[in-house]
Amino acid sequence: MPGDPKEDQQRWRKDTLEPVTNRFPERRETFATDSGISIEPLYSGPNGKSGEDSVGFPGEFPYTRGVQPNMYRGRIWTMRQYSGYSTAEDTNRRFRYLLEQGQTGLSVAFDLPTQIGYDSDAPQSQGEVGKVGVPICSLRDMETLFEGIPLDQVSTSMTINATASVLLCLYMAAARGQGVSEGQISGTLQNDILKEYIARGTYAYPPRPSMRLVVDVFRYCAENIPRWNTISISGYHMREAGATAVQELAFTFANAIAYVQAAVDAGLKVDDFAPRLSFFFVAQNNLLEEVAKYRAARRMWATLMKDRFGAADPRSMMLRFHTQTAGVTLTAQQPDNNVIRSTVQAMAAVLGGTQSLHVNSRDEALGLPTEESAQLSLRTQQIIAHESGVADVVDPLGGSWYVEALTDQLEQEALKYIQEIDRQGGAVSAIEQGYQVREIGESAYRHQREVDTGDRTVVGVNRYVSDTPPIGNLLRVNPEVARQQADRLARLRQGRDDARVKGALQRLEEVAHSADNTIPATLECVEAYATLGEICEIFRRVFGEQQGELAF
C-alpha cells in the first residue's frame, strides 16, 4: 500500500536529497521566483502520488522524475553544440570558439567517408570530404583536431558508429600524446550500429560482426576507461526518418536490449558495463508529448534493467541521455522560424530532464551553421538555463494530469512494440526481416500525407506562406579541402615506418579472426599511423561488407 505522501517526501529529503546536497552544494543557497517566492526542489500534490508507485521520486527507482534528486539545481545540463566540417584545423578553430562562448562539452561531427571507413583519397570518398563533418584519417588528424584542447578537462561526444572502435582508439592515442591517461578522459561514443540498418545507412559490415565490435568497446572501456560512456543508443535518427515518439522509445530500447544481451552472452556482468550506457533522443515540436516521452523512457529503462537483466547497481538502471533538437523540422522557407522551433524543442528537453543538449541552428536546412548561428543556438540554451526559471525545480510538469497520462500511454504503446520484436527473435532478427524499417516507413508516409493535405500545419510551408529574403553568407566548404587532405595523407604515408604499420595491420587481422578483443590491436595500428581506411579494410576482409540495404 502506498504510504502517506508527506511522510514519503520527508523520507526522500532525508535519505536521497540531503546526502547529495551535503556532498555537492547546489548552484545557489536559495531559489526563488522573480517575485521572491521561495522554490522548493520538488512539488507533489497534497494527495499526490507517493514514492511507492510508478512515478516515485527523483534520484530513486524508477527515476520517472529524474535520475538526480535535485537535477539542474545542482548542475546545469552539458551544453554540446555538434560541430565538424572542412578540415581538422577549421574544426579545431570552431571548437575553441564555442568553448570561449560558454559551451561546456564538445560534440564531433565526422564526414561520411570517416563514418563508413574510407580515407579521404579513396575513390568512394569523392565529393564528400569535409562536407557534413570533419575528415579524420589518421592519428595526425586527431591530434590536430584537439590541438590546444586539454582532453583531461573537456568531455567529448563522438557521433560515429561503424568505425566507432577505431575513432575511440584515435582519441585515446591523441590523449596519450598530451600526457593524458585513459583513466582521465571522459565522453561518449555513439557506437550504435543497429539504428544504422534501421534509419541512417552509415554501416560498413553486416550486423552480427558489427555487434562484436560494439561489445569489444564495452569490454575494453569497462576495464580501462571508467569515465567513458561506451554507447549512446539513439532514437534520434529513427525519429528523423519518420518514426513516432512511441516508435522512437520502442525501437531504441529494443536495440538497447540487444546490446545488453550481446554483452552478457559474451561473459560481461551487467553491472560492470551498464552504468556507462547512455542514450540519444530527439526533441520534436509537440512539447508536452516530448516531456512525457523522456519521463516514460527513464521508467522503462529502469524497469527493463532491473526485471529483465537483474541489474543490482542503481547506476545500471539510471537512463542518462543527450538530446538534439529536430533537424527534420527545420525549413528552408522562412528560416527565422527555425529559431522558434528549436527553442520550443530545447525547452521540452530541459523540462524532460536531459543530461546534455544540442540546439540546431536556423540555417541548417540550407547549409552548415555559421559561427553566428551556432552562437545563437548556444545562447538559446544559456537563456533557458539562466533566465527561464525551469532549471530551478525538479520535474516541473510532474503531476500534470495530461503529462502523467501521456507518460503512461507512451510507455504502454512502446512496450507492445518491444513484445512484438521479442516475438520476432530480438532487434537484430527483426532488422534482418525489415520490421522496423517498414513500421517507420508507414509512419513517415502518414505524416507526409497530412502535410500534403493540410491536415498538419507547417508554418511557412503549407500555411502562413510569405516571401522571405534568402539567408546570406552561408557556410560553404572549400572544394580544395579534398585535395589538401589527400596531400596530407600522402605525406603521412611517406614519413611513417611502413614495416611497423604492416606488422600492426597483420596482428589486427589475426585478432579479428579470433575471439580476442580487437581494441588493443586497433590501438597498436593507430599509434603506428595506420590510416582509418587501412584498418577498416582489414575488418572488411574478415567480416565482409554490407552492400546496400539488408535483404528484406
Side-chain angles (χ1 to χ4, degrees):
M1 292 289 293
D4 178 82
K6 290 184 179 179
E7 291 180 2
D8 285 342
Q9 188 154 151
Q10 289 172 356
R11 191 270 318 154
W12 169 77
R13 282 178 176 272
K14 180 181 177 182
D15 296 345
T16 302
L17 177 63
E18 289 180 6
V20 171
T21 55
N22 288 340
R23 287 183 63 201
F24 306 105
E26 294 188 327
R27 292 185 289 118
R28 297 198 293 272
E29 290 187 10
T30 60
F31 290 83
T33 70
D34 291 347
S35 301
I37 299 170
S38 179
I39 302 173
E40 295 295 319
L42 183 73
Y43 288 86
S44 298
N47 299 310
K49 304 190 177 216
S50 76
E52 294 179 18
D53 68 8
S54 62
V55 176
F57 288 108
E60 294 181 356
F61 183 90
Y63 306 103
T64 311
R65 303 199 70 179
V67 293
Q68 299 297 335
N70 59 343
M71 290 299 288
Y72 308 134
R73 287 168 67 104
R75 193 183 72 157
I76 295 295
W77 62 91
T78 301
M79 298 180 188
R80 298 187 192 276
Q81 288 303 122
Y82 185 50
S83 305
Y85 69 101
S86 185
T87 64
E89 293 93 337
D90 288 341
T91 302
N92 175 267
R93 282 192 287 271
R94 176 63 65 87
F95 283 170
R96 288 166 175 261
Y97 172 78
L98 289 169
L99 290 170
E100 289 167 1
Q101 298 302 311
Q103 182 169 299
T104 52
L106 297 175
S107 183
V108 187
F110 298 98
D111 71 356
L112 285 175
T114 303
Q115 291 180 45
I116 56 178
Y118 291 108
D119 290 332
S120 295
D121 58 355
Q124 297 91 336
S125 302
Q126 187 172 355
E128 292 294 343
V129 176
K131 289 291 181 65
V132 298
V134 59
I136 299 293
C137 300
S138 72
L139 176 55
R140 191 151 297 160
D141 288 334
M142 191 64 92
E143 291 167 337
T144 301
L145 182 64
F146 291 103
E147 185 177 353
I149 299 173
L151 296 184
D152 58 341
Q153 298 177 31
V154 67
S155 170
T156 302
S157 173
M158 294 192 286
T159 302
I160 196 74
N161 298 284
T163 58
S165 64
V166 184
L167 269 295
L168 176 62
C169 289
L170 287 162
Y171 190 84
M172 286 191 289
R176 287 181 181 180
Q178 293 185 1
V180 175
S181 70
E182 294 174 3
Q184 293 175 288
I185 61 173
S186 64
T188 300
L189 197 66
Q190 189 160 100
N191 197 27
D192 176 10
I193 196 60
L194 292 181
K195 65 96 173 50
E196 297 296 328
Y197 303 106
I198 295 172
R200 193 160 173 269
T202 60
Y203 40 70
Y205 327 114
R208 296 184 189 272
S210 295
M211 288 288 283
R212 180 243 177 116
L213 296 177
V214 171
V215 174
D216 283 352
V217 170
F218 285 5
R219 188 189 303 277
Y220 187 88
C221 291
E223 296 171 354
N224 299 283
I225 318 180
R227 299 171 61 200
W228 195 266
N229 298 321
T230 53
I231 192 169
S232 179
I233 307 162
S234 175
Y236 182 92
H237 306 91
M238 293 183 282
R239 193 72 179 278
E240 291 279 284
T244 64
V246 167
Q247 290 169 338
E248 181 187 1
L249 286 174
F251 298 159
T252 301
F253 286 131
N255 288 349
I257 289 167
Y259 293 126
V260 175
Q261 190 63 58
V264 169
D265 291 346
L268 277 68
K269 294 180 180 179
V270 68
D271 286 324
D272 287 346
F273 68 88
R276 304 313 304 178
L277 305 181
S278 64
F279 290 81
F280 176 21
F281 292 113
V282 75
Q284 272 270 9
N285 283 332
N286 192 318
L287 185 145
L288 295 177
E289 183 177 47
E290 295 301 291
V291 173
K293 179 188 74 179
Y294 304 128
R295 300 175 84 252
R298 279 192 292 270
R299 188 161 71 209
M300 289 177 68
W301 183 241
T303 305
L304 282 168
M305 292 305 291
K306 181 180 179 181
D307 295 348
R308 187 162 184 150
F309 293 104
D313 188 337
R315 296 174 304 159
S316 299
M317 305 175 218
M318 294 180 184
L319 180 133
R320 295 163 299 108
F321 64 97
H322 170 74
T323 307
Q324 181 173 333
T325 60
V328 74
T329 66
L330 303 180
T331 62
Q333 303 94 324
Q334 300 180 23
D336 283 347
N337 293 347
N338 296 330
V339 177
I340 297 108
R341 292 186 178 103
S342 292
T343 302
V344 170
Q345 294 162 8
M347 185 66 81
V350 172
L351 290 169
T354 192
Q355 275 64 64
S356 69
L357 177 62
H358 164 93
V359 175
N360 288 334
S361 299
R362 64 190 282 266
D363 47 3
E364 288 188 57
L366 299 161
L368 293 169
T370 62
E371 276 194 358
E372 292 77 11
S373 62
Q375 183 194 66
L376 180 60
S377 294
L378 182 58
R379 294 289 182 262
T380 301
Q381 294 205 49
Q382 292 163 338
I383 289 169
I384 291 173
H386 300 293
E387 297 185 26
S388 72
V390 297
D392 295 344
V393 63
V394 180
D395 190 27
L397 298 182
S400 157
W401 292 339
Y402 179 50
V403 169
E404 296 294 355
L406 269 179
T407 301
D408 293 343
Q409 290 165 3
L410 286 164
E411 180 181 21
Q412 291 161 11
E413 293 302 313
L415 288 173
K416 290 178 185 177
Y417 268 115
I418 291 174
Q419 290 168 0
E420 173 59 25
I421 290 170
D422 284 343
R423 190 190 67 77
Q424 295 188 27
V428 176
S429 178
I431 287 168
E432 291 172 338
Q433 298 172 59
Y435 174 68
Q436 296 96 321
V437 171
R438 286 195 301 273
E439 290 295 311
I440 292 172
E442 291 175 7
S443 296
Y445 175 76
R446 286 195 299 272
H447 176 96
Q448 190 58 48
R449 283 284 299 164
E450 291 170 1
V451 173
D452 292 344
T453 60
D455 290 339
R456 180 185 294 269
T457 296
V458 181
V459 174
V461 175
N462 65 355
R463 274 187 88 184
Y464 312 114
V465 178
S466 62
D467 291 332
T468 54
I471 295 178
N473 301 316
L474 291 171
L475 179 61
R476 301 296 186 199
V477 174
N478 187 334
E480 283 293 297
V481 162
R483 184 190 59 77
Q484 294 166 2
Q485 183 72 0
D487 289 345
R488 277 190 288 270
L489 270 171
R491 290 194 297 272
L492 173 81
R493 294 189 181 107
Q494 289 169 2
R496 67 189 183 179
D497 183 338
D498 286 340
R500 184 185 174 197
V501 173
K502 184 177 179 181
L505 290 170
Q506 185 175 342
R507 279 186 288 278
L508 177 62
E509 186 164 3
E510 292 168 358
V511 169
H513 276 296
S514 75
D516 293 343
N517 194 320
T518 57
I519 298 296
T522 303
L523 186 56
E524 182 184 353
C525 291
V526 160
E527 292 186 318
Y529 287 92
T531 68
L532 174 80
E534 290 166 341
I535 294 168
C536 292
E537 181 56 33
I538 296 294
F539 288 142
R540 284 186 168 91
R541 201 151 62 215
V542 176
F543 300 149
E545 184 170 13
Q546 182 64 48
Q547 298 282 355
E549 292 185 353
L550 296 170
F552 298 148

